[in-house]
Amino acid sequence: MKLILKLLAGMAVGLLLGLYAPGPLLTLLLTFKGLFSQFIGFMIPLIIVFYIMSGIAALETGSGRMLGWTVGLAYASTILSGVLAFTAASALLPQWLGAAAAAPVAANKLAPLFKLEIKPLFDVMTALMLAFVFGLGIAATGAARLREIAEQGKDIVEKVLARVLVPLLPAYIACEFADMAAAGTAFATLKTFGVVLLMAIALHWLWLAVLYGASGALLGRNPLSLLRAMLPAYFTALGTMSSAATIPVALRSAGNMKVSPPVVNFVMPLCATIHLCGSTITLVSCATAVMLMTHGLDVPGWDVMLPFILLLGVTMVAAPGAPGGGVMSALGILSSVLGFPEASLALMIALYLAQDSFGTACNVAGDGVVALWVDRLVGRAPQPAGEAAAQRG
């Protein structure tokens, strides 16, 4: 919640600076914005490589059948939620945004002091393929050294995110809004923010209603009782903005739905990493809105958006369990698949962070449905040999 307040403060400060600051100060702000944007672009492939590699390498534990069902159900939920989001956003947002959609933007006459190009080590698709090859290789061969490298690389990237990228995001957003205010487009952009955020939150609730309603009907359970059991986890996620930090409450809530303890202990921590239906709804909705708001970007058809959603479901595995992690992981495919320029990526960060707590809460509440189905389809998870022996003793 502190990050959201800082983000809002950054927007306000940026608007004031863009309207009233002298030219030299705005030039400095534009210089910082350009450098920070280059640094983000450099970090994106590293986030994808180390987080996905580490995540896939860790999927060797537990029953193969239970693992397969958990990953398959989580991925299906993520993809279908993205399809729902694009269907609604592409149908409703052009009407709601009206004249603000794709209005020509006046060019800002100010320019940064200098530009520094920081090239990433590899592009996004190369990073994805590298992460899959080595992640699956580590899981298959048990390569201890490569596993250690993946974990240590993930730790380093996580520290960069926690200590550099995320703390500086409000300043970056402030610079972007100062640039838009100087160009005369900031207030038109802000008018659309509320509409887009309300639609994303409404879609979160709609998707949870679909998940619990359909699951309750097919499994012979009361969907309201199931949803009520997950409410403590939902509201905890609203406050923490982190699926990882909500795991203890999510475990208890899933247990209250009468899911067997071995399944709860296996599925809920795993889904905190791989099941991001709420984040996907937000990213697809906000991406559609940003394309409508940006002159020169057209909302594509399903031939482009469906591959984007499929890739997004994979890339979400790389989302760090921290506020803003989902959008940071998605920036690469937003630019490579949808062609987002720097200014549009900054808008995506602002929109995503403004509702990150609701997206995380949807993720966590949706995890309970995955646990319900895995419990029905597979049953009890196998215990590690040492633990089983200890219980027999």
Side-chain angles (χ1 to χ4, degrees):
M1 301 308 294
K2 290 181 180 179
L3 182 60
I4 292 179
L5 294 176
K6 290 178 180 178
L7 175 71
L8 295 175
M11 291 181 182
V13 171
L15 289 173
L16 292 174
L17 289 174
L19 293 173
Y20 303 111
L25 179 56
L26 288 177
T27 299
L28 290 176
L29 295 178
L30 292 178
T31 303
F32 169 79
K33 187 188 79 166
L35 293 174
F36 192 75
S37 175
Q38 289 290 315
F39 184 59
I40 290 176
F42 175 79
M43 290 300 301
I44 288 169
L46 298 180
I47 294 172
I48 291 173
V49 166
F50 286 110
Y51 272 89
I52 292 184
M53 187 191 307
S54 176
I56 294 176
L59 293 182
E60 62 174 346
T61 52
S63 163
R65 186 164 175 241
M66 178 169 289
L67 175 61
W69 275 114
T70 303
V71 173
L73 289 170
Y75 188 70
S77 172
T78 300
I79 299 309
L80 291 176
S81 66
V83 170
L84 169 69
F86 183 66
T87 301
S90 60
L92 299 176
L93 285 180
Q95 303 175 32
W96 291 351
L97 298 185
V105 177
N108 190 350
K109 297 180 180 179
L110 296 173
L113 287 173
F114 61 89
K115 294 182 180 180
L116 182 64
E117 186 178 3
I118 306 173
K119 291 185 177 181
L121 294 177
F122 23 69
D123 60 31
V124 172
M125 297 309 299
T126 302
L128 275 172
M129 186 57 63
L130 188 67
F132 268 95
V133 169
F134 279 91
L136 292 171
I138 293 170
T141 64
R145 287 189 178 180
L146 281 178
R147 184 190 304 277
E148 186 177 354
I149 290 172
E151 289 297 326
Q152 290 177 348
K154 175 185 172 183
D155 291 341
I156 292 172
V157 171
E158 191 167 4
K159 288 188 181 298
V160 173
L161 286 171
R163 298 184 181 181
V164 180
L165 280 179
V166 173
L168 287 178
L169 280 179
Y172 177 56
I173 297 301
C175 294
E176 183 59 44
F177 270 81
D179 189 14
M180 288 191 294
T185 61
F187 291 102
T189 299
L190 284 175
K191 288 180 181 178
T192 66
F193 266 35
V195 173
V196 176
L197 295 179
L198 287 176
M199 189 191 72
I201 294 170
L203 288 174
H204 293 160
W205 295 340
L206 175 60
W207 183 243
L208 289 178
V210 170
L211 286 179
Y212 280 91
S215 299
L218 293 172
L219 296 176
R221 305 282 299 274
N222 186 338
L224 293 179
S225 298
L226 295 174
L227 191 55
R228 191 182 306 119
M230 287 301 295
L231 284 181
Y234 182 91
F235 287 110
T236 302
L238 278 179
T240 62
M241 294 173 63
S242 170
S243 298
T246 312
I247 285 176
V249 181
L251 291 170
R252 192 180 311 120
S253 296
N256 291 337
M257 292 194 301
K258 309 303 180 185
V259 179
S260 61
V263 172
V264 169
N265 295 334
F266 180 86
V267 172
M268 297 306 285
L270 179 59
C271 281
T273 302
I274 65 174
H275 184 220
L276 292 103
C277 55
S279 299
T280 301
I281 287 173
T282 302
L283 286 167
V284 173
S285 303
C286 293
T288 305
V290 169
M291 286 186 286
L292 287 169
M293 295 158 54
T294 304
H295 183 64
L297 279 182
D298 296 322
V299 178
W302 283 106
D303 58 327
V304 175
M305 284 304 298
L306 186 56
F308 170 76
I309 294 170
L310 293 173
L311 277 174
L312 190 61
V314 175
T315 309
M316 285 286 94
V317 177
V327 69
M328 298 305 295
S329 300
L331 291 179
I333 60 172
L334 285 168
S335 60
S336 62
V337 178
L338 299 184
F340 274 35
E342 175 189 326
S344 297
L345 293 177
L347 284 179
M348 280 296 300
I349 293 173
L351 276 168
Y352 184 90
L353 288 176
Q355 66 70 66
D356 193 14
S357 57
F358 287 94
T360 302
C362 181
N363 295 338
V364 172
D367 295 346
V369 172
V370 177
L372 278 171
W373 279 103
V374 172
D375 194 35
R376 172 61 63 92
L377 294 168
V378 180
R380 296 179 60 86
Q383 295 174 309
E387 185 177 325
Q391 288 191 2
R392 286 195 301 269

